[in-house]
Amino acid sequence: MTEATRRLDIAAIRKEFPILERTVYGYPLVYLDNAATTQKPLAVLDAMDHYYRTINANVHRGVHYLSQQATEACEAVRTLVAGFLHARHAHEVIFTRGTTESINLVASSFGKKFLSAGQSILVSGMEHHSNIVPWQMICEEKGARLQVIPINENGELVLDELDRMLEAGVRLVAVNYVSNALGSINPVGEIIAAAHRHGIPVLLDAAQAVQHLEVDVQELDVDFLAFSSHKIYGPTGIGVLYGKEEWLNELPPYQGGGEMIKTVTFEKTTYNELPFKFEAGTPDMAGIIGLGAAIRYVQELGLRNIQVAEHDVMEYALRVLGEIDGLRLVGGMDARHRAGVISFLVGSIHPFDLGEILDQQGIAVRTGHHCAQPIMDRYCIPGTVRASLAIYNTREEMDRLAAGIRKAAKFLG
């Protein structure tokens, strides 16, 4: 086995996540809600604690020692993120509050300058609400409309008519890399190439991708990409927008305030250079430090190694869950076309009821529409039970999940 695909010691990794030691209702915790938020390793907790204890100060604005130290630490994370995404320049990395704010930033700034009445934004039928609603809002403001790439019964995008759709006044394409509700890995390279043939930029929602897959923004040639720290073992409240330099220079600022300016008079304001033009106000310095620690943690494990380990657990989970009477996967893909998520129903049991019984056994899953109501409408269901995986999940936990489902199904009839 090469170094690039070395076998990870999952038992040792689990010890780095303190919360996995706790019990829930007397049972050892089985945490399978990682698509909502991942748990945090000691490396992240210690890095944030160290920041607050030793260099807490506002960044970019002070000549004193602590401010300089905090600034250097935060800007080092920007460079780290650029390398993680294989961006061409560090100033193509914008710190935001998360994927949702990143998408809102592009929707607002791009839409104000480039979207006109009669044009459209193209999204897919499996988007999270945060990649639907911001576009609806700017479309309503501009008199534009939303077009939707359909999905089939297997949870795959139907791209047969993509070129035709792109010819119908589309100004930007916004799609997710991996579906948070189905786990589908979408053919984003194909979508980006098709959009670029028509001169149309593309935004990728990579909130469910960067923790499972290697992402190279230059290889993909994507114009914008968004992700959240808390999905990749980092803290909440911090995220990233990557944008090609040429596009970021074209967009107007999203918010006004300190840091995003060069000069201010009552007559006129001139805006700062990248990346600060889009970072109004005091950033979440501790969050940036935590994000940096999370990315270093993932890099030390190796994303390829993580992918291999998670794929093994995913395959095993699909096998043991497939043996449960009445259980059906929503989306229906095999492990090769999934990343991190298993979405399912059992007979006629309501997802909420099944989730409650699993919770009483110490098994944390998510139930409902997962902020992806159009997907549930597509399948004519109220929601699903979603078990989502991370690097610390094990085959033994999949056995616990399967046993818990059988117990719940027996109890609920």
Side-chain angles (χ1 to χ4, degrees), residues 8-56:
L8 297 175
D9 185 345
I10 304 303
I13 288 172
R14 286 179 63 85
K15 292 178 181 178
E16 296 169 357
F17 291 81
I19 200 169
L20 299 181
E21 298 292 324
R22 69 161 301 171
T23 59
V24 173
Y25 300 117
Y27 292 91
L29 172 65
V30 175
Y31 186 78
L32 297 174
D33 195 19
N34 295 288
T37 195
T38 52
Q39 299 302 336
K40 320 308 172 194
L42 287 168
V44 170
L45 302 177
D46 291 345
M48 297 177 70
D49 181 69
H50 182 264
Y51 166 80
Y52 276 128
R53 288 179 182 273
T54 63
I55 60 169
N56 178 45

Side-chain angles (χ1 to χ4, degrees), residues 6-17 297 301 305 309 391-394:
R6 63 186 173 90
R7 185 177 298 278
L8 297 175
D9 185 345
I10 304 303
I13 288 172
R14 286 179 63 85
K15 292 178 181 178
E16 296 169 357
F17 291 81
Y297 181 79
L301 295 179
N305 304 323
I391 186 55
Y392 39 68
N393 292 125
T394 65

